[in-house]
Amino acid sequence: MKPNKKSLSDLGGIMYSTDPSYSFENEDDTAQEVVANNQQDLRVMLDRKNRGGKAVTLITGYRGSAADLEKLSKMLKTKCGVGGSAKDGEIIIQGDFRDKVVLMLQKEGYKVKKSGG
């Protein structure tokens, strides 16, 4: 999850430059850490809040690049045969597939725990 930026110093110090040859380098995007599967602590839970009573399987705690998150999400959605989405380190799988998702993630080498109800 992205941290909130509350002051100008949190933005890196430069807001606007009139120099046409200046290029701002964003350090956060280039320094993405690569975390091995066996070092990731993922939580799998059932969520019904703000979804009109429909249940979704929510996987939280993923650390890594957005491309890897999308790849993992696509694999889980394909094996479960349902839709879903992935953003901000969370994967949402439509329906109650907690047991199936936990088994698939353990096969991939992740440390997984079921949490919530």
Side-chain angles (χ1 to χ4, degrees):
M1 198 170 245
K2 293 182 180 179
N4 289 338
K5 297 182 178 178
K6 297 182 182 182
S7 69
L8 291 177
S9 62
D10 292 338
L11 296 172
I14 294 181
M15 290 291 296
Y16 180 77
S17 175
T18 57
D19 184 11
S21 63
Y22 178 78
S23 66
F24 182 72
E25 296 165 4
N26 194 352
E27 298 158 2
D28 294 338
D29 293 339
T30 58
Q32 185 67 24
E33 60 191 45
V34 177
V35 181
N37 291 356
N38 61 358
Q39 294 178 344
Q40 300 228 24
D41 292 322
L42 301 180
R43 302 281 178 168
V44 178
M45 63 189 85
L46 186 66
D47 189 24
R48 288 193 175 108
K49 294 179 182 169
N50 299 326
R51 304 186 197 284
K54 302 226 180 348
V56 297
T57 303
L58 185 64
I59 299 112
T60 60
Y62 184 84
R63 295 176 292 155
S65 69
D68 292 339
L69 178 69
E70 196 63 43
K71 204 175 352 176
L72 179 62
S73 169
K74 183 170 176 67
M75 185 269 298
L76 291 173
K77 292 186 297 184
T78 303
K79 297 228 177 169
C80 291
V82 294
S85 67
K87 61 182 173 186
D88 296 332
E90 293 183 347
I91 300 173
I92 297 172
I93 306 290
Q94 294 173 352
D96 184 4
F97 291 98
R98 286 177 293 180
D99 297 329
K100 194 172 186 178
V101 167
V102 167
L103 290 174
M104 284 187 279
L105 289 173
Q106 285 174 343
K107 274 187 185 175
E108 293 292 319
Y110 291 94
K111 285 196 282 186
V112 185
K113 286 186 182 177
K114 278 174 70 171
S115 67

